């Protein structure tokens, strides 16, 4: 479903990512690991077309997307939950979620009912402003907004960063259900190694803008973690 070959990504004239390569099959979950500042978020932004320039090959669902604008990538079915959530504070919860439907080809503005099964609190707060909710609840809005577009691929950039532990557990359960029960293909940036080992079909480790290691969850050894993830 998603493949990168010899991928370089630039901010200005500087290549932040160099010679990135991976293949992600439909229905699988790929975790992206690495220390802070090594290029993980840049890889997520590159998939969404949010860096200045790319070289190499990036294909989604058999289509070359390297030169497509972000809006076209969303219309193809790529959903993105960035760091910081980017909820619009003055919009209601409902308005924030409905924004995701504008990337749907069917023109419907209906919120899929299963979203409220995943995040029941959002139904209760549907008419409250997004900025009035806690960080964890805003993360649930961000999930709901991305899911409202009915994505084929969901990109999650550290979705549990800075939120309360009880909601961290809920987010982990939702990610697991989306992948295993609903068959959604996922790219996940996550620092929680036990969770990564539990849910990942494969992983890549980024170090200094390059792929330093690849493998399945069984290959994610303590030695590899110590070498590439500890500070």
């Amino acid at each position: 479903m998603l493949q990168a070959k010899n991928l370089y990504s630039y901010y200005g004239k500087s290549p932040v990512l160099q010679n990135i390569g991976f293949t992600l099959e439909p229905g699988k979950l790929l975790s992206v690991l690495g220390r802070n500042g090594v290029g993980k978020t840049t890889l997520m932004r590159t998939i969404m077309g949010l860096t200045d320039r790319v070289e190499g090959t990036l294909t989604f669902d058999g289509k070359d997307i390297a030169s497509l604008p972000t809006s076209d990538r969303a219309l193809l079915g790529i959903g993105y939950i960035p760091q910081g959530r980017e909820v619009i504070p003055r919009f209601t919860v409902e308005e924030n979620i409905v924004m995701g439907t504008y990337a749907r080809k069917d023109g419907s503005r209906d919120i899929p009912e299963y979203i409220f099964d995943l995040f029941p609190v959002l139904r209760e707060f549907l008419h409250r402003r997004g900025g009035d909710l806690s960080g964890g609840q805003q993360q649930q809005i961000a999930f709901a907004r991305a899911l409202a577009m009915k994505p084929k691929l969901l990109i999650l950039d550290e979705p549990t960063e800075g939120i309360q532990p009880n909601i961290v557990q809920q987010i982990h359960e939702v990610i697991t259900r989306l992948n295993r029960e609903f068959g959604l293909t996922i790219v996940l940036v996550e620092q929680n190694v036990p969770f990564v080992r539990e849910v990942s079909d494969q992983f890549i480790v980024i170090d200094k803008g390059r792929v330093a290691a690849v493998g399945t969850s069984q290959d994610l050894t303590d030695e590899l973690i110590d070498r590439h993830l500890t500070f």
Side-chain angles (χ1 to χ4, degrees), residues 40-228:
K40 303 186 302 296
T41 291
T42 298
L43 178 56
M44 304 302 101
R45 291 175 58 82
T46 299
I47 296 170
M48 289 307 303
L50 295 170
T51 59
D52 294 339
R53 179 168 62 92
V54 298
E55 296 174 354
T57 302
L58 183 64
T59 58
F60 172 69
D61 227 5
K63 181 180 180 63
D64 182 3
I65 64 171
S67 61
L68 291 182
T70 301
S71 57
D72 286 357
R73 300 184 196 206
L75 287 169
L76 287 174
I78 305 178
Y80 179 41
I81 301 178
Q83 281 185 315
R85 299 175 282 274
E86 298 185 7
V87 167
I88 299 178
R90 291 184 176 274
F91 279 21
T92 66
V93 170
E94 182 176 25
E95 289 167 338
N96 270 284
I97 298 172
V98 167
M99 285 181 61
T101 67
Y102 284 86
R104 277 165 50 178
K105 291 184 177 180
D106 61 9
S108 172
R109 300 292 172 255
D110 292 337
I111 300 173
E113 186 63 27
Y114 82 94
I115 289 175
F116 298 116
D117 294 333
L118 294 173
F119 303 109
V121 72
L122 296 184
R123 190 192 301 276
E124 178 184 348
F125 293 155
L126 207 53
H127 301 297
R128 291 182 60 176
R129 293 197 307 181
D132 294 338
L133 273 60
S134 70
Q137 291 163 344
Q138 288 184 17
Q139 185 67 299
Q140 294 179 60
I141 296 174
F143 262 85
R145 181 180 58 201
L147 294 174
M149 66 175 284
K150 298 185 176 179
K152 298 177 181 178
L153 169 68
L154 186 61
I155 299 171
L156 306 172
D157 192 355
E158 299 204 33
T160 60
E161 182 182 36
I163 62 177
Q164 53 266 49
N166 63 314
I167 295 186
V168 168
Q169 181 61 35
Q170 182 183 8
I171 295 295
H172 282 172
E173 291 172 359
V174 165
I175 292 170
T176 303
R177 285 191 65 192
L178 289 172
N179 178 244
R180 296 180 179 174
E181 184 177 329
F182 295 95
L184 185 59
T185 310
I186 294 176
V187 178
L188 170 68
V189 176
E190 175 63 71
Q191 299 287 2
N192 185 313
V193 173
F195 179 65
V196 168
R197 284 173 169 152
E198 177 186 342
V199 299
S200 301
D201 295 294
Q202 61 198 89
F203 72 88
I204 60 174
V205 175
I206 305 291
D207 194 3
K208 298 179 181 177
R210 297 178 180 270
V211 174
V214 299
T216 66
S217 58
Q218 291 79 15
D219 302 318
L220 192 55
T221 62
D222 291 340
E223 188 273 333
L224 190 149
I225 297 296
D226 289 341
R227 192 191 323 155
H228 294 292

